[in-house]
Amino acid sequence: MMISECNPGQLSHEQITALLYKGISDDGRPGDCIFVFGSNKGAKYRVPAAVQLYKDGRAPMILFSGGTIWKGQPLPEALMMKERAVELGVPAGQILVEQESRHTKENVLASLLVLDRAISLHGIRRILIVTSAYHMRRAYLTLKTYMPSWIEYSMCAAEDA
């Protein structure tokens, strides 16, 4: 079934799940970096998922991406997420921050330079992605479009409210 042929009111739960997640999952394998997309609730919902991956030894570092300053928050979302990760036990030296982006495409493009400077893009084979379930497909397709083709991804959904 093509998305353009879908009538949202007539889709079953299984069809919706297939459209959103088919071919995108966490296979449990390790990676070179954990990439966390920003959101207004990223520090609350996405950071714990990323920290758990880090503590499980799945990747040696975390990259927080996002430059939006949300109402009621003093810092860009990436810095808020970094602060929370440090509180949860991740050493600050294992955290990369990209704080210029304002949306998904910019998260990926701005993070390319951060990753290249810190690790070298040619040294990256696999990235673990942390975002919300509803953002998973867009994040995956944006990564596949703008990141180097040799990088593989494992998608790790965080529970966003």
Side-chain angles (χ1 to χ4, degrees):
M1 171 189 312
M2 297 183 69
I3 292 176
S4 62
E5 298 171 348
C6 295
N7 178 342
Q10 296 179 344
L11 293 175
S12 69
H13 178 71
E14 292 77 23
Q15 290 171 318
I16 292 170
T17 300
L19 284 171
L20 291 174
Y21 305 112
K22 186 176 181 181
I24 299 175
S25 64
D26 179 10
D27 59 13
R29 293 177 30 218
D32 301 301
C33 185
I34 300 162
F35 184 126
V36 184
F37 283 85
S39 81
N40 63 339
K41 296 181 182 178
K44 182 175 182 179
Y45 294 103
R46 297 178 186 186
V47 172
V51 169
Q52 190 59 55
L53 290 169
Y54 175 82
K55 288 182 175 181
D56 289 346
R58 297 274 307 275
M61 64 181 42
I62 302 173
L63 167 61
F64 293 111
S65 179
T68 301
I69 299 175
W70 297 95
K71 184 178 180 180
Q73 295 181 351
L75 300 170
E77 55 200 347
L79 291 176
M80 296 291 293
M81 292 189 293
K82 177 182 179 179
E83 281 187 359
R84 183 68 181 130
V86 170
E87 289 172 6
L88 294 173
V90 178
Q94 299 308 116
I95 298 173
L96 304 172
V97 173
E98 177 286 303
Q99 58 181 321
E100 301 300 320
S101 61
R102 300 289 187 265
H103 53 74
T104 303
K105 180 181 174 183
E106 289 184 0
N107 288 135
V108 173
L109 292 173
S111 293
L112 279 166
L113 182 59
V114 173
L115 288 168
D116 193 40
R117 287 180 174 169
I119 306 172
S120 169
L121 286 175
H122 290 285
I124 299 172
R125 296 288 170 246
R126 188 168 170 71
I127 297 175
L128 309 181
I129 306 304
V130 175
T131 191
S132 60
Y134 67 84
H135 185 240
M136 194 71 61
R137 176 71 61 189
R138 180 170 33 142
Y140 177 75
L141 293 174
T142 304
L143 288 159
K144 294 294 285 180
T145 300
Y146 295 104
M147 283 282 194
S149 61
W150 65 81
I151 297 177
E152 295 178 4
Y153 304 98
S154 185
M155 306 301 283
C156 310
E159 297 299 321
D160 274 10

